[in-house]
Amino acid sequence: MTVQKVRRPLNHLLLTATNTGSKPCYAYNAPSLRFDDDQAATAVLRDSVPQAVVTLEPGESAYAAIGTESPEGTHGHRAHRLGVLFSNRAMDGSVGGWARPKLPTGGVYVDSSAFVTYWQSNPADALMW
């Protein structure tokens, strides 16, 4: 799993999860994110629901955009750690433990308007939000 800063849209990161196994897997719902020691998970952008669950064959990736801040946001801070959980099939909990992808050097500024999209099958669909 990786996180990278993108040029456009502004104030966005791209989260990429790659199937490194030998069997297909599924990226259900949206990733559950927690920056640093935030008490609540980052909000999920409900408008980003894809047409179908993203199926990952070995070597394929799923993508989610992370909006980090906006003019309407409050309580901003520079985050240096990110925890990511994968949704289970029933979409009422998670599977596995926390993934800890590295944030860009120096951390990222996040505020109360931060969001994450549902998993998408290509980066352009994730970043359109």
Side-chain angles (χ1 to χ4, degrees):
M1 179 169 302
T2 62
V3 176
Q4 67 184 52
K5 204 171 197 176
V6 295
R7 289 175 30 109
R8 297 269 183 223
L10 294 176
N11 305 322
H12 277 64
L13 301 170
L14 182 64
L15 180 65
T16 304
T18 302
N19 179 358
T20 59
S22 60
K23 297 178 183 178
C25 67
Y26 304 93
Y28 296 107
N29 200 12
S32 180
L33 305 182
R34 185 161 294 159
F35 286 96
D36 288 339
D37 296 323
D38 288 351
Q39 291 190 358
T42 303
V44 174
L45 185 64
R46 301 289 175 204
D47 289 343
S48 67
V49 175
Q51 294 277 335
V53 171
V54 177
T55 301
L56 302 175
E57 295 295 332
E60 292 184 338
S61 298
Y63 307 90
I66 303 169
T68 57
E69 62 176 301
S70 75
E72 295 82 27
T74 60
H75 307 331
H77 68 283
R78 183 151 302 277
H80 297 279
R81 294 182 320 277
L82 177 64
V84 181
L85 288 173
F86 288 92
S87 178
N88 64 15
R89 184 177 185 161
M91 296 185 217
D92 62 0
S94 61
V95 295
W98 289 96
R100 303 264 183 212
K102 290 186 180 201
L103 289 174
T105 302
V108 294
Y109 187 84
V110 294
D111 65 23
S112 63
S113 68
F115 67 84
V116 63
T117 67
Y118 281 75
W119 289 112
Q120 307 291 330
S121 57
N122 68 66
D125 287 346
L127 292 170
M128 69 183 277
W129 306 98

